[in-house]
Amino acid sequence: MAVEVQYRVVRNGIEKMIFTNKKEADAYDRLLDQAEHIETVLEGAPVALNEQDREALALYLAENQQALAGSKKKPVKAAGKQSTDAGNEDNKAVKAVA
Protein backbone atom coordinates (compact mmCIF):
# COMPACT_ATOMS: atom_id res chain seq x y z
CA MET A 1 0.00 0.00 0.00
CA ALA A 2 1.39 3.39 -1.01
CA VAL A 3 0.91 6.60 0.90
CA GLU A 4 0.19 9.62 -1.24
CA VAL A 5 0.11 13.17 0.09
CA GLN A 6 -2.42 15.48 -1.54
CA TYR A 7 -2.97 19.19 -1.08
CA ARG A 8 -6.51 20.33 -1.80
CA VAL A 9 -7.41 23.92 -2.58
CA VAL A 10 -10.94 24.52 -1.33
CA ARG A 11 -12.91 27.77 -1.67
CA ASN A 12 -16.34 28.29 -0.12
CA GLY A 13 -16.68 24.56 0.45
CA ILE A 14 -15.92 23.76 -3.20
CA GLU A 15 -12.80 21.81 -4.10
CA LYS A 16 -10.99 23.76 -6.81
CA MET A 17 -7.86 21.70 -7.43
CA ILE A 18 -5.74 18.88 -5.97
CA PHE A 19 -1.94 19.03 -5.95
CA THR A 20 0.81 16.66 -4.86
CA ASN A 21 3.21 19.57 -4.27
CA LYS A 22 2.61 22.09 -1.46
CA LYS A 23 4.41 24.89 -3.32
CA GLU A 24 2.08 24.53 -6.33
CA ALA A 25 -0.98 24.38 -4.07
CA ASP A 26 0.08 27.58 -2.30
CA ALA A 27 0.73 29.32 -5.63
CA TYR A 28 -2.73 28.36 -6.89
CA ASP A 29 -4.29 29.53 -3.63
CA ARG A 30 -2.56 32.92 -4.03
CA LEU A 31 -3.84 33.07 -7.62
CA LEU A 32 -7.39 32.51 -6.37
CA ASP A 33 -6.88 35.22 -3.71
CA GLN A 34 -5.80 37.64 -6.44
CA ALA A 35 -8.76 36.67 -8.63
CA GLU A 36 -11.11 37.22 -5.70
CA HIS A 37 -9.68 40.70 -5.14
CA ILE A 38 -9.99 41.53 -8.85
CA GLU A 39 -13.58 40.31 -8.83
CA THR A 40 -14.35 42.66 -5.93
CA VAL A 41 -12.90 45.55 -7.93
CA LEU A 42 -14.89 44.53 -11.02
CA GLU A 43 -18.14 44.68 -9.02
CA GLY A 44 -17.77 48.47 -9.00
CA ALA A 45 -16.84 48.67 -12.70
CA PRO A 46 -18.93 50.85 -15.00
CA VAL A 47 -19.76 47.75 -17.08
CA ALA A 48 -22.48 45.31 -16.16
CA LEU A 49 -21.19 41.73 -15.88
CA ASN A 50 -23.10 38.77 -14.57
CA GLU A 51 -21.46 36.88 -11.71
CA GLN A 52 -20.18 34.01 -13.85
CA ASP A 53 -18.55 36.34 -16.43
CA ARG A 54 -17.06 38.48 -13.65
CA GLU A 55 -15.51 35.40 -11.99
CA ALA A 56 -14.11 34.15 -15.31
CA LEU A 57 -12.68 37.57 -16.18
CA ALA A 58 -11.15 38.00 -12.72
CA LEU A 59 -9.45 34.58 -12.93
CA TYR A 60 -8.19 35.34 -16.44
CA LEU A 61 -6.73 38.69 -15.31
CA ALA A 62 -5.10 37.08 -12.27
CA GLU A 63 -3.54 34.37 -14.45
CA ASN A 64 -2.21 36.97 -16.90
CA GLN A 65 -1.03 39.63 -14.46
CA GLN A 66 2.50 39.54 -15.91
CA ALA A 67 1.18 40.61 -19.31
CA LEU A 68 -0.86 43.38 -17.66
CA ALA A 69 2.17 44.74 -15.83
CA GLY A 70 3.79 45.64 -19.13
CA SER A 71 7.45 46.08 -19.87
CA LYS A 72 9.81 46.66 -16.98
CA LYS A 73 12.41 48.32 -19.18
CA LYS A 74 13.10 51.98 -18.60
CA PRO A 75 13.49 53.48 -22.07
CA VAL A 76 13.60 57.05 -20.72
CA LYS A 77 16.77 56.32 -18.74
CA ALA A 78 18.36 54.53 -21.67
CA ALA A 79 17.62 57.45 -23.98
CA GLY A 80 19.01 59.89 -21.41
CA LYS A 81 22.17 57.82 -21.09
CA GLN A 82 22.71 57.80 -24.85
CA SER A 83 22.41 61.58 -25.07
CA THR A 84 24.82 61.93 -22.14
CA ASP A 85 27.32 59.66 -23.88
CA ALA A 86 26.95 61.66 -27.08
CA GLY A 87 27.50 64.85 -25.09
CA ASN A 88 30.69 63.41 -23.58
CA GLU A 89 32.00 62.57 -27.04
CA ASP A 90 31.32 66.15 -28.16
CA ASN A 91 33.17 67.46 -25.10
CA LYS A 92 36.14 65.18 -25.86
CA ALA A 93 36.25 66.47 -29.43
CA VAL A 94 36.16 70.08 -28.22
CA LYS A 95 38.95 69.43 -25.69
CA ALA A 96 41.05 67.72 -28.35
CA VAL A 97 40.69 70.72 -30.67
CA ALA A 98 41.44 73.24 -27.91
Side-chain angles (χ1 to χ4, degrees), residues 36-73:
E36 189 174 299
H37 175 71
I38 292 171
E39 185 179 353
T40 302
V41 172
L42 288 174
E43 286 176 355
V47 231
L49 296 170
N50 64 40
E51 185 178 351
Q52 188 177 16
D53 288 343
R54 192 173 53 243
E55 286 177 5
L57 179 59
L59 185 59
Y60 175 80
L61 292 173
E63 289 172 342
N64 293 287
Q65 60 188 349
Q66 292 294 333
L68 293 171
S71 176
K72 296 193 181 211
K73 294 180 181 179

Side-chain angles (χ1 to χ4, degrees), residues 6-58:
Q6 293 183 341
Y7 298 91
R8 298 174 188 264
V9 178
V10 178
R11 290 289 173 131
N12 301 324
I14 301 170
E15 185 176 293
K16 296 293 186 176
M17 192 79 77
I18 299 174
F19 297 90
T20 57
N21 180 320
K22 182 174 181 0
K23 185 177 179 180
E24 290 175 1
D26 287 340
Y28 189 73
D29 189 46
R30 284 190 302 275
L31 176 77
L32 292 179
D33 284 341
Q34 183 70 27
E36 189 174 299
H37 175 71
I38 292 171
E39 185 179 353
T40 302
V41 172
L42 288 174
E43 286 176 355
V47 231
L49 296 170
N50 64 40
E51 185 178 351
Q52 188 177 16
D53 288 343
R54 192 173 53 243
E55 286 177 5
L57 179 59

Side-chain angles (χ1 to χ4, degrees), residues 48 58 67 90:
D90 291 341

Side-chain angles (χ1 to χ4, degrees), residues 78-91:
K81 187 175 181 181
Q82 289 174 350
S83 64
T84 304
D85 290 342
N88 288 340
E89 289 176 14
D90 291 341
N91 288 338

